[in-house]
């Protein structure tokens, strides 16, 4: 009985600390969201108050949606993120499969070569990347961003996924081979579905920096048609710095998609990390 | 009879896309940048200057002052993360992983949310909260009778960098938390049970059993923090601008690189000096990674299962 009471006290303390930290983590988001629904005067009069019947106002959202460009930025970000994610996962899984499944000369050297990029940030090559994109006419295209982010995401993807694919039972793959499946089918039909948790982990850690990146959109694709939402809202804040409603609404909207993407993948996230790389 | 194995095309097919994209977009530009740092423009002609640009960067007072300032600021930025972010991350993970804790998934998600927010949002909302005009922070300090403690932290040279570092800690504490949490979950039950049989429970269990077992993860987190911090740019850029004000007190290598390469207000863009700074950053990160790999990671190996 002693230990039961002891653990109740401890768990209350644990909850207390976690709740406190949760409040710290969410407080700024809360500030943005509540104020984005308030009238301009109420934002300044009492920034911490919830919107009430008198102070509730959607003017910010109306302004943002009427500006129109915002929707374009949104779409650009979606295209870039989903496109890069697709290529990172596909190419990364293929390379990881080759590295973990087959013994060939230069296998571990290739693994090391691909892993280098985990430690060395791609940004340091920006000077030459820009020159290359200018030379190939890809500046101010979403393709340039997708290419860069694919290259950026691949090292970690290969690293995590190959750890995982080593744990897929060899018997299963051999059974597939005896049944006459080609190596490609073994990869797509048998192995890929089994490493889904790892794919989710890779997806989260690839997606977040892409969605939030300011550096490459600023340098490679700053034109109006190719702006991402991160760059778009940065500019928006500058232009409309007096229109608080619009700025807050824009930021509120910018949170939604990445939150949704995160929630989609996060269920598998912990399973993925636990079983995989960090052990 | 020893037949040569036929060339296995599928291996090449599986590897090719990743290797090609990675090499073309990452490795080649990186080498190109390193190469560019060895040249300079003179009268419109590109001439080879060897390590001359580095001599300028480290020696010429016009450059070196800004460089050492940025490097020092960057080191402080990193130190704050190591001293604040990672211990908090480990503590939160330890709490989350305590057995039979209800709502762990909720806490985990909530605490991770700042990590998924863009720097634009983070920079803006903290500026708003800390702003003396809008005044959420002064208002809140006032409510607990501590208003005298308030200062415009982002606007004062002596506080701005530390304030930004703490904002960055707030944003990214979810990453060490997640990784340590996963590491704690993957400690085999037998190890914990054995510890409990020996009467090692609670805090002493954490310090004596779990902490040594998660040291490799802490090592990985430290090196990720190092690489991330010495490559940081966005938060400073969105909240203080490319001039990293007030008076360059928040200038770090990333903002210095941006200003040098692209030019900003008072200065013209200089790709060669930009490449030189990028190369210097590359060197710093490389040294850090090598130190970690050879000095720390190899010694930690023996704790692994």
């Amino acid at each position: 009985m002693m230990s039961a009471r002891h653990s109740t006290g401890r768990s209350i303390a644990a909850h207390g600390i976690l709740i406190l930290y949760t409040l710290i983590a969410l407080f700024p988001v809360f500030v943005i969201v509540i104020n984005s629904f308030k009238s301009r005067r109420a934002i300044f009069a009492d920034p911490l108050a919830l919107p009430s019947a008198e102070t509730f106002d959607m003017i910010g959202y109306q302004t943002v949606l009427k500006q129109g460009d915002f929707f374009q930025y949104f779409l650009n970000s979606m295209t870039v993120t989903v496109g890069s994610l697709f290529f990172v996962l596909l190419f990364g899984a293929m390379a990881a499969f080759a590295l973990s499944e087959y013994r060939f000369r230069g296998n571990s050297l290739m693994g090391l070569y691909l892993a280098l990029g985990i430690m060395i940030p791609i940004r340091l090559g920006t000077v030459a990347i820009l020159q290359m994109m200018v030379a190939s006419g890809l500046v101010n295209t979403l393709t340039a961003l997708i290419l860069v982010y694919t290259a950026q995401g691949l090292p970690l993807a290969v690293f995590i996924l190959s750890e995982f694919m080593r744990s897929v039972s060899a018997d299963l793959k051999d059974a597939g081979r005896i049944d006459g499946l080609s190596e490609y089918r073994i990869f797509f039909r048998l192995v890929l579905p089994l490493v889904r948790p790892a794919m989710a982990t890779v997806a989260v850690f690839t997606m977040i920096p892409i969605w939030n990146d300011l550096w490459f959109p600023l340098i490679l694709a700053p034109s109006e048609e190719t702006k991402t939402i991160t760059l778009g809202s940065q500019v928006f804040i500058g232009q409309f710095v007096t229109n608080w409603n619009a700025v807050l609404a824009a930021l509120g909207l910018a949170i939604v998609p990445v939150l949704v993407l995160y929630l989609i993948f996060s269920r598998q996230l912990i399973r993925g990390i636990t079983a995989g790389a960090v052990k | 009879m020893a037949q040569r194995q036929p060339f296995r095309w599928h291996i090449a097919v599986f590897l090719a896309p990743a290797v090609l994209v990675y090499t073309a977009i990452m490795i080649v530009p990186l080498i190109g940048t390193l190469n560019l740092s060895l040249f300079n423009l003179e009268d419109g002609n590109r001439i080879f200057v060897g390590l001359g640009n580095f001599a300028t960067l480290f020696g010429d007072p016009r450059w070196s002052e800004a460089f050492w300032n940025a490097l020092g600021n960057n080191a402080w930025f990193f130190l704050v993360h190591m001293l604040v972010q990672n211990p908090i991350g480990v503590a939160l993970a330890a709490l989350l992983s305590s057995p039979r804790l209800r709502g762990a998934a909720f806490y985990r998600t909530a605490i991770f949310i700042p990590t998924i927010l863009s720097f634009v949002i983070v920079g803006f909302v903290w500026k708003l909260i800390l702003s003396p005009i809008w005044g959420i922070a002064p208002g809140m300090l006032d409510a607990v009778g501590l208003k005298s403690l308030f200062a415009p932290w982002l606007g004062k040279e002596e506080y701005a960098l530390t304030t930004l570092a703490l904002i960055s800690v707030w944003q990214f504490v979810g990453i060490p938390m997640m990784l340590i949490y996963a590491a704690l979950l993957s400690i085999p039950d037998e190890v914990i049970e054995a510890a409990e049989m020996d009467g090692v429970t609670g805090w002493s269990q954490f310090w004596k059993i779990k902490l040594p077992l998660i040291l490799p993860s802490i090592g990985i987190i430290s090196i990720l923090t190092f690489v991330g911090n010495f490559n940081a740019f966005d938060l400073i850029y969105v909240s203080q601008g490319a001039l990293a004000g007030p008076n360059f007190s928040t200038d770090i290598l990333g903002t210095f690189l941006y200003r040098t390469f692209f030019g900003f207000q008072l200065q013209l863009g200089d790709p060669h000096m930009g490449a030189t700074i990028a190369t210097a950053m590359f060197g710093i990160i490389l040294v850090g990674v090598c130190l970690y790999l050879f000095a720390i990671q190899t010694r930690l190996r023996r704790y692994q299962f």
Side-chain angles (χ1 to χ4, degrees):
Chain A
M1 281 298 103
M2 244 322 265
S3 78
R5 206 165 357 127
H6 185 61
S7 76
T8 314
R10 277 165 50 90
S11 94
I12 289 174
H15 278 290
I17 297 172
L18 286 169
I19 288 171
L20 181 74
Y21 200 87
T22 303
L23 290 178
I24 296 175
L26 294 184
F27 174 67
V29 183
F30 172 75
V31 169
I32 291 185
V33 173
I34 57 167
N35 284 297
S36 69
F37 288 106
K38 291 188 339 200
S39 68
R40 186 180 153 79
R41 192 172 337 148
I43 293 176
F44 283 93
D46 193 352
L48 279 179
L50 287 170
S52 67
E54 292 149 53
T55 60
F56 180 82
D57 200 336
M58 295 286 282
I59 181 80
Y61 288 92
Q62 285 159 7
T63 316
V64 171
L65 295 177
K66 242 184 276 165
Q67 284 290 328
D69 299 343
F70 220 74
F71 190 69
Q72 181 67 43
Y73 302 159
F74 222 94
L75 220 58
N76 290 339
S77 271
M78 261 316 188
T79 313
V80 168
T81 308
V82 173
S84 317
L85 206 53
F86 174 79
F87 288 121
V88 168
L89 289 176
L90 179 67
F91 295 170
M94 283 164 63
F97 184 67
L99 290 175
S100 63
E101 178 68 15
Y102 307 113
R103 294 154 133 253
F104 56 92
R105 214 186 306 159
N107 179 315
S108 51
L109 207 65
M110 185 62 89
L112 200 67
Y113 173 68
L114 287 170
L116 266 181
I118 300 177
M119 295 301 185
I120 305 300
I122 192 169
R123 269 181 198 186
L124 296 182
T126 305
V127 180
I129 290 179
L130 180 62
Q131 291 179 341
M132 193 170 82
M133 293 300 175
V134 170
S136 56
L138 286 173
V139 170
N140 278 326
T141 62
L142 296 180
T143 316
L145 291 179
I146 293 180
L147 279 172
V148 169
Y149 293 139
T150 305
Q152 170 184 289
L154 276 171
L156 190 69
V158 173
F159 183 73
I160 295 182
L161 292 175
S162 55
E163 291 279 312
F164 252 85
M165 287 184 181
R166 283 198 189 100
S167 67
V168 172
S169 115
D171 291 346
L172 183 73
K173 286 173 281 193
D174 288 338
R177 289 195 180 102
I178 290 168
D179 285 348
L181 293 185
S182 72
E183 296 298 322
Y184 304 107
R185 286 194 160 227
I186 288 173
F187 170 68
F188 281 108
R189 292 282 177 76
L190 296 181
V191 176
L192 267 194
L194 285 173
V195 296
R196 237 184 290 159
M199 301 279 259
T201 310
V202 173
V204 169
F205 284 115
T206 310
M207 165 190 95
I208 296 170
I210 297 177
W211 182 273
N212 291 336
D213 190 36
L214 190 59
W215 179 268
F216 283 114
L218 192 63
I219 291 161
L220 292 180
S223 83
E224 198 53 32
E225 306 82 66
T226 52
K227 251 181 215 149
T228 60
I229 197 158
T230 308
L231 184 57
S233 32
Q234 157 77 7
V235 175
F236 202 77
I237 289 176
Q239 261 169 17
F240 293 87
V241 80
T242 46
N243 191 344
W244 290 92
N245 300 84
V247 168
L248 288 165
L251 294 181
L253 286 175
I255 297 175
V256 176
V258 66
L259 192 63
V260 170
L261 281 178
Y262 173 71
L263 290 176
I264 292 173
F265 291 119
S266 69
R267 270 211 268 145
Q268 310 246 18
L269 179 65
I270 284 296
R271 250 179 82 202
I273 317 179
T274 320
V278 207
K279 228 192 258 181
Chain B
M1 278 303 281
Q3 232 179 3
R4 273 197 58 157
Q5 214 179 0
F7 186 75
R8 288 175 292 173
W9 279 105
H10 50 268
I11 299 181
V13 171
F14 280 129
L15 275 174
V19 173
L20 284 179
V21 173
Y22 172 76
T23 307
I25 314 285
M26 190 150 183
I27 301 297
V28 171
L30 209 56
I31 295 170
T33 303
L34 303 190
N35 183 43
L36 207 61
S37 70
L38 301 177
F39 291 87
N40 212 338
L41 276 182
E42 225 160 78
D43 306 324
N45 297 316
R46 213 168 84 124
I47 52 158
F48 182 79
V49 293
L51 298 177
N53 289 334
F54 291 94
T56 314
L57 184 64
F58 302 134
D60 183 341
R62 276 183 309 154
W63 287 96
S64 67
E65 213 174 295
F67 175 76
W68 296 116
N69 174 44
L71 185 62
N73 286 342
N74 224 149
W76 175 245
F77 197 70
F78 170 63
L79 201 66
V80 171
H81 281 78
M82 286 301 283
L83 294 179
V84 182
Q85 171 187 283
N86 296 346
I88 293 182
V90 173
L92 289 173
L95 286 174
L96 278 178
S97 71
S98 47
R100 294 181 300 276
L101 180 93
R102 281 157 175 257
F106 166 76
Y107 292 127
R108 219 171 52 210
T109 309
I111 294 171
F112 199 73
I113 279 180
T115 307
I116 68 178
L117 298 182
S118 82
F119 292 96
V120 177
I121 298 176
V122 170
F124 180 77
V125 72
W126 278 102
K127 263 171 94 167
L128 216 58
I129 291 173
L130 298 175
S131 134
I133 304 163
W134 210 46
I136 290 187
M140 285 171 77
L141 284 175
D142 201 17
V144 289
L146 290 172
K147 191 165 186 196
S148 57
L149 283 183
F150 181 79
W153 285 297
L154 281 173
K156 295 235 170 165
E157 276 183 48
E158 60 270 42
Y159 302 130
L161 182 65
T162 310
T163 309
L164 283 168
L166 290 173
I167 292 173
S168 167
V169 165
W170 168 82
Q171 184 177 11
F172 287 118
V173 80
I175 289 177
M177 180 192 76
M178 281 294 196
L179 295 177
I180 296 293
Y181 178 67
L184 286 170
L185 287 189
S186 60
I187 295 175
D189 289 338
E190 302 91 73
V191 175
I192 305 297
E193 276 161 23
E196 269 166 11
M197 296 291 256
D198 291 342
V200 184
T201 54
W203 276 117
S204 73
Q205 187 184 67
F206 178 78
W207 288 111
K208 289 185 185 148
I209 313 285
K210 291 181 179 167
L211 190 65
L213 290 175
I214 59 170
L215 273 184
S217 299
I218 293 183
I220 291 177
I221 286 164
S222 311
I223 195 66
L224 288 178
T225 311
F226 177 79
V227 175
N229 283 169
F230 274 86
N231 179 38
F233 159 78
D234 309 61
L235 181 64
I236 313 278
Y237 178 78
V238 299
S239 51
Q240 309 293 73
L243 287 176
N247 193 21
F248 298 110
S249 62
T250 57
D251 199 20
I252 57 173
L253 292 171
T255 42
F256 183 43
L257 168 63
Y258 180 84
R259 275 201 320 273
T260 308
F261 179 27
F262 297 99
F264 196 78
Q265 290 180 0
L266 301 176
Q267 65 195 101
L268 283 171
D270 183 342
H272 295 284
M273 282 315 278
T276 307
I277 295 169
T279 306
M281 288 167 74
F282 179 81
I284 293 166
I285 291 175
L286 205 63
V287 167
V289 170
C290 289
L291 270 179
Y292 159 78
L293 285 180
F294 296 121
I296 300 175
Q297 187 67 2
T298 44
R299 268 178 225 170
L300 288 175
R301 278 282 150 73
R302 65 194 145 110
Y303 289 114
Q304 287 182 300
F305 307 114

